[in-house]
Amino acid sequence: MKYTLIFLLIFTAVVSGALSAVASGISVPWRQLFGGIKTTEQQVLSGLSNAQGYNLQLFADDVPGARWLVITRSGDILVSQPKKGQVSLLSPDRNGDGQADAQRVLIDNLNRPHGLALHENWLYIAESDAVGRVPLDHSDGRLAGSYQRIIENLEDSGHWTKTIEMGPDGWLYLSSGSSCNVCIEKDPRRATIMRMRPDGSDFKILATGLRNSVGFDWSPKDGGLYATDNGRDWLGDDLPPDELNLIRPDKFYGWPYAYGDRIPDPDFIGDENPTVKEMIASSVPPVHEFAAHNAPLGIRFLRSPEQPENYRGAALVALHGSWNRSVKDGYKVVSLHWDESGDITQRDFLWGFLSDDRKEVSGRPVAIAEDSQGSIYITDDYAGAIYHLSPGSMLKASAPYPLKVTNNTPRKPPTIDSDAAREGKALYQDHDCAHCHQQQVPLKELSKKYTLETLASYFDAPTPPMPRYNFTDQQKKALAHYLLSLEALR
């Protein structure tokens, strides 16, 4: 009897909330309250559309609450599931059926794990109130030690998700959303992006005024750190715009005092406090605006040379979709393209999660990852699914991972410049490259994969976890000569 009463109370509260929301003119994908929906390969292929030059498949359909994801050096896909308190491992498609070969829980008993990052032999996990790390054996996808928290006592009310990424400078970056819709935070770490060293030391705030920057990534073109940001609620269907910000150290990005291009928030528009006016005037406007309440979450710049030419260097952004809006909007993945003057154009990349009448929702994209072969993986926490898009022909899309192309024509050995090779050797030693490459990631058969030119260009956007060192053209060529000279001597 007691449990029946509890159920009735909860049910009444949910129904009451739903009726209130409808009366307020908002449009919520209600089934997410009860665990979302299920999808199938047929529904994905018939219901979704994607950019030309890519092939779409349903990679996994049983990953409830799938949020963030990263790809190991062996091609395993790690996915966070906050509601289950776990991170799961999905094996890549090696048998060619388009789906994950296997799925298992990698680590559990976590407090709403969200962000994931890989660095050297560590898996970093951003829980709602902490950051931890655990040794990971990339060769077989097994944990090689115990999980240890390196940052604790983070607040997790309101926007509780924490996202973590390893920067090209070797620092860990962590985002923390606001505790509220509009307020002045008591904890200075809220509504910020922070950074720390890989062991958790030197933990400091990088940028402030970011209401909820769930996703961020570094551009392979200009090296800039770009972050999505979700605007406040309850200003109608079309205000305020959601944002893409170029993050710079010690800058303020507006929230809670302003949105967009320094437009005062209604809660502060009549505030005569000179400090508030100064904060608004000094705030950094976004470099791109998304439609209001589209909820941009994950962002990922495409780095693989396998991408179609017009997508190399573009950024994919997952629009999770509106709830604080009378007519639904968002619910898709878009691509952002920078022209020579720095202007940004937005295009649809993966869409069809929202019905034509804007009433029914079949998916809510969250995060995006790319592997070295150009395969793109996108999570969906509404359908508990992961989608796979591959560039090129259907033959390539269905081939086992990693794709291997057989070429029986012997490649002419590269002509090594001994002076350049000596310079490259010095760079290799100065950056302690052997620490990873002699044991964890041995460099083998490079000459079968690269020419001097393509190996040099690889350093512009290396595959994680290798950092990008911003080498000059001369340094990149020198490294290429040195690495290929090693094989010439064998």
Side-chain angles (χ1 to χ4, degrees), residues 166-245:
M166 175 58 68
D169 56 3
W171 287 66
L172 279 171
Y173 289 72
L174 179 74
S175 66
S176 176
S178 67
S179 65
C180 58
N181 183 34
V182 181
C183 67
I184 298 175
E185 297 283 7
K186 295 180 180 179
D187 186 338
R189 299 173 298 180
R190 300 305 299 261
T192 69
I193 290 179
M194 299 163 279
R195 72 174 192 164
M196 71 195 86
R197 297 193 184 277
D199 61 359
S201 61
D202 292 336
F203 188 41
K204 59 188 70 175
I205 295 172
L206 178 72
T208 60
L210 298 160
R211 182 175 175 272
N212 193 23
S213 289
V214 178
F216 53 93
D217 192 18
W218 288 261
S219 167
K221 289 186 176 181
D222 62 24
L225 171 56
Y226 291 86
T228 61
D229 196 22
N230 287 220
R232 64 158 293 179
D233 301 320
W234 310 117
L235 292 185
D237 277 8
D238 301 316
L239 287 176
D242 289 331
E243 300 179 355
L244 178 72
N245 291 297

Coordinates of all heavy atoms in Angstrom, one line a residue, residues 166-245:
M166 N 41.3 17.0 -23.2 CA 42.7 17.2 -23.1 C 43.1 18.2 -24.2 O 42.8 18.0 -25.3 CB 43.5 15.9 -23.3 CG 45.0 16.1 -23.3 SD 45.7 16.9 -21.9 CE 45.5 15.7 -20.6
G167 N 43.7 19.3 -23.8 CA 44.0 20.4 -24.7 C 45.3 20.1 -25.4 O 46.2 19.2 -24.9
P168 N 45.6 20.7 -26.5 CA 46.8 20.5 -27.3 C 48.1 21.0 -26.5 O 49.2 20.7 -26.9 CB 46.6 21.3 -28.6 CG 45.6 22.3 -28.2 CD 44.7 21.6 -27.2
D169 N 47.8 21.8 -25.4 CA 48.9 22.3 -24.6 C 49.3 21.3 -23.5 O 50.1 21.6 -22.6 CB 48.6 23.6 -24.0 CG 47.3 23.7 -23.3 OD1 46.6 22.6 -23.1 OD2 46.8 24.7 -22.8
G170 N 48.6 20.1 -23.4 CA 48.9 19.2 -22.4 C 48.2 19.4 -21.1 O 48.4 18.7 -20.1
W171 N 47.2 20.4 -21.0 CA 46.4 20.7 -19.8 C 45.0 20.1 -20.0 O 44.5 19.9 -21.2 CB 46.2 22.2 -19.6 CG 47.5 22.9 -19.1 CD1 48.6 23.1 -19.8 CD2 47.6 23.5 -17.8 NE1 49.5 23.8 -19.0 CE2 48.9 24.1 -17.8 CE3 46.8 23.7 -16.7 CZ2 49.4 24.7 -16.7 CZ3 47.3 24.4 -15.6 CH2 48.6 24.9 -15.6
L172 N 44.4 19.6 -18.9 CA 43.0 19.2 -18.9 C 42.1 20.4 -18.8 O 42.3 21.2 -17.9 CB 42.8 18.2 -17.8 CG 43.2 16.8 -18.0 CD1 43.0 16.0 -16.7 CD2 42.4 16.1 -19.1
Y173 N 41.0 20.4 -19.6 CA 40.0 21.5 -19.5 C 38.7 20.9 -19.0 O 38.3 19.8 -19.5 CB 39.9 22.1 -20.9 CG 41.1 23.0 -21.3 CD1 42.3 22.4 -21.6 CD2 41.0 24.4 -21.3 CE1 43.4 23.2 -22.0 CE2 42.1 25.2 -21.6 CZ 43.3 24.5 -22.0 OH 44.4 25.3 -22.3
L174 N 38.0 21.6 -18.2 CA 36.8 21.2 -17.6 C 35.7 22.3 -17.6 O 36.0 23.4 -17.2 CB 37.1 20.7 -16.1 CG 35.9 20.2 -15.3 CD1 35.5 18.8 -15.8 CD2 36.2 20.2 -13.8
S175 N 34.5 21.9 -18.1 CA 33.4 22.9 -18.0 C 32.5 22.5 -16.9 O 32.2 21.4 -16.7 CB 32.7 22.9 -19.4 OG 32.1 21.7 -19.7
S176 N 31.9 23.6 -16.3 CA 30.9 23.4 -15.3 C 29.8 24.4 -15.5 O 30.0 25.6 -15.6 CB 31.5 23.6 -13.9 OG 30.5 23.6 -12.9
G177 N 28.5 24.0 -15.7 CA 27.4 24.8 -16.0 C 26.9 25.6 -14.7 O 27.4 25.4 -13.6
S178 N 26.0 26.4 -14.9 CA 25.4 27.2 -13.8 C 24.5 26.4 -12.9 O 24.0 25.3 -13.3 CB 24.6 28.4 -14.4 OG 23.5 28.0 -15.0
S179 N 24.3 26.9 -11.7 CA 23.4 26.2 -10.8 C 21.9 26.6 -11.0 O 21.0 26.1 -10.3 CB 23.8 26.5 -9.3 OG 23.6 27.9 -9.1
C180 N 21.7 27.5 -11.9 CA 20.3 28.1 -12.0 C 20.1 28.6 -13.4 O 20.9 28.4 -14.3 CB 20.3 29.3 -11.1 SG 21.6 30.5 -11.5
N181 N 18.9 29.2 -13.7 CA 18.6 29.8 -14.9 C 19.3 31.1 -15.1 O 20.1 31.4 -16.0 CB 17.1 30.0 -15.1 CG 16.7 30.5 -16.5 OD1 17.4 30.3 -17.4 ND2 15.7 31.4 -16.5
V182 N 19.1 32.0 -14.1 CA 19.7 33.3 -14.1 C 20.0 33.7 -12.6 O 19.0 33.8 -11.8 CB 18.8 34.5 -14.7 CG1 19.6 35.8 -14.6 CG2 18.5 34.1 -16.1
C183 N 21.2 33.8 -12.2 CA 21.5 34.2 -10.9 C 23.0 34.6 -10.8 O 23.8 34.4 -11.7 CB 21.3 33.0 -9.9 SG 22.4 31.6 -10.1
I184 N 23.4 35.1 -9.6 CA 24.8 35.4 -9.4 C 25.3 34.3 -8.5 O 24.9 34.1 -7.4 CB 25.0 36.8 -8.7 CG1 24.5 37.9 -9.6 CG2 26.4 37.0 -8.3 CD1 24.5 39.2 -8.9
E185 N 26.3 33.5 -9.1 CA 26.7 32.3 -8.4 C 27.6 32.6 -7.2 O 28.3 33.6 -7.1 CB 27.6 31.5 -9.4 CG 26.9 31.0 -10.6 CD 26.0 29.8 -10.3 OE1 25.8 29.4 -9.1 OE2 25.4 29.2 -11.3
K186 N 27.4 31.8 -6.2 CA 28.2 31.9 -5.0 C 29.6 31.2 -5.2 O 30.6 31.6 -4.6 CB 27.5 31.3 -3.8 CG 26.3 32.1 -3.4 CD 25.6 31.4 -2.2 CE 24.3 32.2 -1.8 NZ 23.6 31.6 -0.6
D187 N 29.5 30.1 -5.9 CA 30.8 29.3 -6.2 C 31.4 29.8 -7.5 O 30.7 29.7 -8.6 CB 30.4 27.8 -6.3 CG 31.7 26.9 -6.5 OD1 32.7 27.5 -6.9 OD2 31.6 25.7 -6.2
P188 N 32.5 30.4 -7.5 CA 33.1 31.0 -8.7 C 33.4 30.0 -9.8 O 33.7 30.4 -10.9 CB 34.4 31.7 -8.2 CG 34.7 31.0 -6.9 CD 33.4 30.6 -6.3
R189 N 33.4 28.7 -9.5 CA 33.7 27.7 -10.5 C 32.5 27.4 -11.3 O 32.7 26.7 -12.4 CB 34.2 26.4 -9.8 CG 35.5 26.6 -9.0 CD 35.9 25.4 -8.2 NE 34.8 25.0 -7.2 CZ 34.9 24.0 -6.4 NH1 36.0 23.2 -6.4 NH2 33.9 23.8 -5.5
R190 N 31.3 27.8 -10.9 CA 30.1 27.6 -11.7 C 30.1 28.5 -13.0 O 30.6 29.6 -12.9 CB 28.8 27.8 -10.9 CG 28.7 26.9 -9.7 CD 28.8 25.4 -10.0 NE 27.8 24.9 -10.9 CZ 26.7 24.2 -10.5 NH1 26.4 24.1 -9.2 NH2 25.9 23.7 -11.4
A191 N 29.5 28.0 -14.0 CA 29.3 28.8 -15.3 C 30.7 29.2 -15.8 O 30.9 30.3 -16.2 CB 28.4 30.0 -15.1
T192 N 31.6 28.2 -15.8 CA 33.0 28.5 -16.3 C 33.6 27.4 -17.1 O 33.0 26.3 -17.2 CB 34.0 28.7 -15.1 OG1 34.1 27.5 -14.4 CG2 33.4 29.7 -14.1
I193 N 34.7 27.6 -17.7 CA 35.6 26.6 -18.2 C 36.9 26.7 -17.4 O 37.5 27.8 -17.2 CB 35.9 26.7 -19.7 CG1 34.7 26.3 -20.5 CG2 37.1 25.8 -20.1 CD1 34.8 26.5 -22.0
M194 N 37.4 25.6 -16.8 CA 38.6 25.6 -16.0 C 39.6 24.7 -16.6 O 39.4 24.1 -17.6 CB 38.2 25.1 -14.6 CG 37.2 25.9 -13.9 SD 36.4 25.0 -12.5 CE 35.1 24.1 -13.3
R195 N 40.8 24.8 -16.0 CA 41.9 23.9 -16.5 C 42.8 23.4 -15.4 O 42.8 24.1 -14.3 CB 42.7 24.5 -17.7 CG 43.6 25.6 -17.3 CD 44.4 26.0 -18.5 NE 45.5 26.9 -18.2 CZ 46.6 27.1 -19.0 NH1 46.6 26.5 -20.2 NH2 47.6 27.9 -18.6
M196 N 43.5 22.3 -15.6 CA 44.4 21.8 -14.6 C 45.4 20.9 -15.3 O 45.3 20.6 -16.5 CB 43.5 20.9 -13.7 CG 43.1 19.6 -14.3 SD 41.8 18.7 -13.4 CE 40.3 19.5 -14.0
R197 N 46.5 20.6 -14.6 CA 47.5 19.7 -15.1 C 46.9 18.2 -15.1 O 45.9 18.0 -14.4 CB 48.8 19.8 -14.4 CG 49.4 21.2 -14.5 CD 50.8 21.2 -14.0 NE 51.4 22.6 -14.1 CZ 51.9 23.1 -15.1 NH1 52.0 22.4 -16.3 NH2 52.4 24.3 -15.1
P198 N 47.5 17.3 -15.8 CA 46.9 15.9 -15.9 C 46.8 15.2 -14.5 O 46.0 14.3 -14.4 CB 47.9 15.2 -16.8 CG 48.5 16.2 -17.7 CD 48.6 17.5 -16.8
D199 N 47.6 15.7 -13.5 CA 47.4 15.0 -12.2 C 46.4 15.8 -11.3 O 46.3 15.5 -10.1 CB 48.8 14.9 -11.5 CG 49.4 16.3 -11.2 OD1 48.8 17.4 -11.6 OD2 50.5 16.4 -10.7
G200 N 45.8 16.8 -11.8 CA 44.8 17.6 -11.0 C 45.4 18.8 -10.4 O 44.6 19.6 -9.7
S201 N 46.7 19.0 -10.5 CA 47.3 20.2 -9.8 C 47.1 21.5 -10.6 O 46.6 21.4 -11.8 CB 48.8 20.0 -9.6 OG 49.4 19.8 -10.9
D202 N 47.4 22.6 -10.0 CA 47.2 23.9 -10.7 C 45.8 24.1 -11.2 O 45.6 24.6 -12.3 CB 48.2 24.1 -11.8 CG 49.7 24.2 -11.3 OD1 49.8 24.6 -10.1 OD2 50.6 23.9 -12.0
F203 N 44.8 23.7 -10.5 CA 43.4 23.8 -10.9 C 43.0 25.3 -10.8 O 43.0 25.9 -9.8 CB 42.5 22.9 -10.0 CG 41.1 22.8 -10.4 CD1 40.8 22.6 -11.7 CD2 40.1 22.8 -9.4 CE1 39.4 22.5 -12.1 CE2 38.8 22.7 -9.8 CZ 38.4 22.5 -11.1
K204 N 42.6 25.8 -12.0 CA 42.2 27.3 -12.0 C 41.1 27.5 -13.0 O 40.9 26.7 -13.9 CB 43.5 28.1 -12.3 CG 44.1 27.7 -13.6 CD 45.4 28.4 -13.8 CE 46.5 27.9 -12.9 NZ 47.9 28.4 -13.2
I205 N 40.5 28.7 -12.8 CA 39.4 29.1 -13.7 C 40.1 29.8 -15.0 O 40.9 30.6 -14.9 CB 38.5 30.1 -13.0 CG1 37.7 29.3 -11.9 CG2 37.5 30.7 -14.0 CD1 36.9 30.2 -11.0
L206 N 39.6 29.4 -16.2 CA 40.1 29.9 -17.4 C 39.2 31.1 -17.9 O 39.7 32.1 -18.3 CB 40.2 28.8 -18.5 CG 40.7 29.3 -19.8 CD1 42.2 29.6 -19.8 CD2 40.4 28.2 -20.9
A207 N 37.9 30.8 -18.0 CA 37.0 31.8 -18.5 C 35.7 31.7 -17.8 O 35.3 30.6 -17.3 CB 36.8 31.6 -20.0
T208 N 34.9 32.8 -17.7 CA 33.7 32.9 -16.9 C 32.6 33.4 -17.8 O 32.7 33.8 -18.9 CB 33.9 33.8 -15.7 OG1 34.3 35.2 -16.2 CG2 35.0 33.3 -14.8
G209 N 31.3 33.4 -17.1 CA 30.2 33.9 -17.8 C 29.6 33.0 -18.9 O 28.9 33.4 -19.8
L210 N 29.9 31.7 -18.7 CA 29.4 30.7 -19.7 C 28.4 29.8 -19.0 O 28.7 28.9 -18.2 CB 30.6 29.8 -20.1 CG 31.7 30.6 -20.8 CD1 33.0 29.8 -20.8 CD2 31.3 30.9 -22.3
R211 N 27.1 30.1 -19.3 CA 26.0 29.5 -18.6 C 26.0 28.0 -18.6 O 25.8 27.4 -17.5 CB 24.7 30.0 -19.1 CG 23.4 29.5 -18.4 CD 22.2 30.1 -19.0 NE 21.0 29.5 -18.4 CZ 20.3 28.4 -18.8 NH1 20.8 27.7 -19.9 NH2 19.3 27.9 -18.2
N212 N 26.3 27.4 -19.7 CA 26.3 25.9 -19.8 C 27.0 25.5 -21.0 O 26.4 25.1 -22.0 CB 24.9 25.3 -19.7 CG 25.0 23.8 -19.4 OD1 25.9 23.3 -18.9 ND2 23.9 23.1 -19.8
S213 N 28.4 25.5 -21.0 CA 29.2 25.1 -22.1 C 29.5 23.6 -22.1 O 30.5 23.2 -21.6 CB 30.5 26.0 -22.2 OG 30.2 27.3 -22.5
V214 N 28.6 22.9 -22.6 CA 28.7 21.4 -22.5 C 29.8 20.9 -23.4 O 30.5 19.9 -23.1 CB 27.3 20.7 -22.8 CG1 27.5 19.2 -22.7 CG2 26.3 21.2 -21.8
G215 N 30.0 21.5 -24.6 CA 30.9 21.0 -25.5 C 32.0 22.0 -25.9 O 31.7 23.2 -25.9
F216 N 33.2 21.6 -26.1 CA 34.3 22.5 -26.6 C 35.4 21.6 -27.3 O 35.6 20.5 -27.0 CB 34.9 23.3 -25.4 CG 35.3 22.5 -24.2 CD1 36.7 22.1 -24.1 CD2 34.5 22.2 -23.2 CE1 37.1 21.4 -23.0 CE2 34.9 21.5 -22.1 CZ 36.2 21.1 -22.0
D217 N 36.1 22.3 -28.2 CA 37.1 21.6 -29.0 C 38.0 22.7 -29.6 O 37.6 23.9 -29.7 CB 36.5 20.7 -30.0 CG 37.5 19.8 -30.7 OD1 38.6 19.6 -30.1 OD2 37.2 19.3 -31.8
W218 N 39.2 22.3 -30.0 CA 40.2 23.2 -30.6 C 40.2 23.1 -32.1 O 40.2 21.9 -32.7 CB 41.6 22.8 -30.1 CG 41.8 23.2 -28.6 CD1 42.4 24.4 -28.1 CD2 41.3 22.5 -27.5 NE1 42.3 24.4 -26.8 CE2 41.7 23.2 -26.3 CE3 40.6 21.3 -27.3 CZ2 41.4 22.8 -25.0 CZ3 40.4 20.8 -26.0 CH2 40.8 21.6 -24.9
S219 N 40.2 24.2 -32.8 CA 40.2 24.2 -34.2 C 41.5 23.8 -34.8 O 42.6 24.3 -34.3 CB 39.8 25.6 -34.8 OG 40.1 25.7 -36.1
P220 N 41.6 22.8 -35.7 CA 42.9 22.5 -36.3 C 43.4 23.5 -37.3 O 44.6 23.5 -37.7 CB 42.5 21.2 -37.1 CG 41.1 21.3 -37.4 CD 40.5 22.0 -36.3
K221 N 42.6 24.5 -37.6 CA 43.0 25.6 -38.5 C 43.7 26.7 -37.8 O 44.7 27.2 -38.1 CB 41.8 26.1 -39.3 CG 41.3 25.1 -40.4 CD 40.2 25.7 -41.2 CE 39.8 24.7 -42.3 NZ 38.8 25.3 -43.2
D222 N 43.0 27.3 -36.7 CA 43.5 28.4 -36.0 C 44.0 28.1 -34.6 O 44.5 29.0 -33.9 CB 42.6 29.6 -36.1 CG 41.2 29.3 -35.4 OD1 41.2 28.4 -34.5 OD2 40.2 30.0 -35.7
G223 N 43.8 26.9 -34.1 CA 44.2 26.5 -32.8 C 43.3 27.1 -31.7 O 43.5 26.8 -30.5
G224 N 42.2 27.8 -32.1 CA 41.3 28.4 -31.1 C 40.5 27.4 -30.4 O 40.1 26.3 -30.9
L225 N 40.2 27.7 -29.1 CA 39.3 26.9 -28.3 C 37.8 27.4 -28.5 O 37.5 28.5 -28.1 CB 39.7 26.9 -26.8 CG 38.7 26.2 -25.8 CD1 38.5 24.8 -26.1 CD2 39.3 26.4 -24.4
Y226 N 37.0 26.6 -29.1 CA 35.6 27.0 -29.3 C 34.7 26.2 -28.4 O 34.8 25.0 -28.3 CB 35.2 26.7 -30.8 CG 35.9 27.7 -31.7 CD1 37.2 27.4 -32.2 CD2 35.3 28.9 -32.1 CE1 37.9 28.3 -33.1 CE2 36.0 29.8 -33.0 CZ 37.2 29.4 -33.5 OH 37.9 30.3 -34.3
A227 N 33.7 26.9 -27.8 CA 32.8 26.2 -26.9 C 31.3 26.6 -27.2 O 31.0 27.8 -27.5 CB 33.1 26.6 -25.4
T228 N 30.5 25.6 -27.2 CA 29.0 25.9 -27.3 C 28.5 26.4 -25.9 O 29.1 26.2 -24.9 CB 28.2 24.6 -27.6 OG1 28.4 23.6 -26.6 CG2 28.7 24.0 -28.9
D229 N 27.4 27.1 -25.9 CA 26.8 27.6 -24.7 C 25.3 27.7 -24.9 O 24.8 28.2 -25.9 CB 27.4 29.0 -24.3 CG 27.1 29.4 -22.9 OD1 26.9 28.5 -22.1 OD2 27.2 30.6 -22.6
N230 N 24.6 27.2 -23.8 CA 23.2 27.2 -23.8 C 22.6 28.5 -23.1 O 22.9 28.7 -22.0 CB 22.6 26.0 -23.1 CG 22.8 24.7 -23.9 OD1 21.9 23.9 -23.9 ND2 23.9 24.6 -24.6
G231 N 21.8 29.2 -23.8 CA 21.2 30.5 -23.3 C 20.2 30.2 -22.3 O 19.7 29.1 -22.1
R232 N 19.8 31.2 -21.6 CA 18.8 31.1 -20.5 C 17.4 30.8 -21.1 O 17.1 30.9 -22.3 CB 18.7 32.5 -19.7 CG 18.2 33.6 -20.6 CD 17.7 34.7 -19.7 NE 16.5 34.3 -19.0 CZ 15.8 35.1 -18.1 NH1 16.2 36.3 -17.8 NH2 14.7 34.7 -17.6
D233 N 16.5 30.4 -20.1 CA 15.1 30.1 -20.5 C 14.1 31.2 -20.2 O 14.5 32.2 -19.5 CB 14.7 28.8 -19.7 CG 15.6 27.6 -20.0 OD1 15.9 27.5 -21.2 OD2 15.9 26.9 -19.1
W234 N 12.9 31.1 -20.7 CA 11.8 31.9 -20.3 C 11.8 33.3 -20.9 O 11.3 34.3 -20.3 CB 11.6 31.9 -18.8 CG 11.5 30.6 -18.2 CD1 12.4 30.1 -17.2 CD2 10.6 29.5 -18.4 NE1 12.1 28.8 -16.9 CE2 11.0 28.4 -17.6 CE3 9.5 29.4 -19.3 CZ2 10.3 27.2 -17.6 CZ3 8.8 28.2 -19.3 CH2 9.2 27.1 -18.5
L235 N 12.4 33.5 -22.0 CA 12.3 34.7 -22.8 C 11.6 34.6 -24.1 O 11.7 35.4 -25.0 CB 13.7 35.3 -23.0 CG 14.5 35.8 -21.8 CD1 15.8 36.4 -22.2 CD2 13.7 36.8 -20.9
G236 N 10.8 33.5 -24.2 CA 10.0 33.3 -25.4 C 10.7 32.4 -26.4 O 11.8 31.8 -26.1
D237 N 10.1 32.1 -27.5 CA 10.6 31.2 -28.5 C 11.9 31.6 -29.1 O 12.7 30.7 -29.5 CB 9.5 31.0 -29.6 CG 8.4 30.0 -29.2 OD1 8.4 29.6 -28.0 OD2 7.6 29.6 -30.1
D238 N 12.1 32.9 -29.3 CA 13.3 33.3 -30.1 C 14.4 34.0 -29.4 O 15.3 34.5 -30.0 CB 12.7 34.2 -31.3 CG 11.7 33.4 -32.1 OD1 12.0 32.3 -32.4 OD2 10.6 34.0 -32.4
L239 N 14.3 34.0 -28.1 CA 15.4 34.7 -27.3 C 15.7 33.8 -26.1 O 14.8 33.2 -25.5 CB 15.0 36.1 -26.8 CG 14.9 37.2 -27.9 CD1 14.4 38.5 -27.3 CD2 16.3 37.4 -28.5
P240 N 17.0 33.9 -25.6 CA 18.1 34.4 -26.3 C 18.7 33.4 -27.3 O 18.4 32.2 -27.2 CB 19.1 34.7 -25.2 CG 18.8 33.6 -24.2 CD 17.3 33.3 -24.3
P241 N 19.6 33.8 -28.2 CA 20.3 32.9 -29.0 C 21.2 32.0 -28.2 O 21.8 32.4 -27.2 CB 21.1 33.7 -30.0 CG 21.4 35.0 -29.2 CD 20.1 35.2 -28.4
D242 N 21.3 30.7 -28.6 CA 22.4 29.9 -28.1 C 23.7 30.3 -28.8 O 23.7 30.9 -29.9 CB 22.1 28.4 -28.3 CG 21.0 27.9 -27.4 OD1 20.9 28.5 -26.3 OD2 20.3 27.0 -27.8
E243 N 24.8 30.0 -28.2 CA 26.1 30.6 -28.7 C 27.2 29.6 -29.0 O 27.3 28.5 -28.4 CB 26.6 31.6 -27.6 CG 25.6 32.7 -27.3 CD 26.1 33.6 -26.2 OE1 27.2 33.4 -25.6 OE2 25.4 34.6 -25.9
L244 N 28.1 30.1 -29.8 CA 29.4 29.5 -30.0 C 30.4 30.6 -29.6 O 30.4 31.6 -30.2 CB 29.7 29.0 -31.4 CG 31.1 28.4 -31.7 CD1 31.2 27.0 -31.0 CD2 31.4 28.3 -33.2
N245 N 31.3 30.3 -28.7 CA 32.2 31.3 -28.2 C 33.7 30.8 -28.5 O 34.0 29.7 -28.3 CB 32.0 31.5 -26.7 CG 30.7 32.2 -26.4 OD1 30.5 33.3 -26.8 ND2 29.9 31.5 -25.6

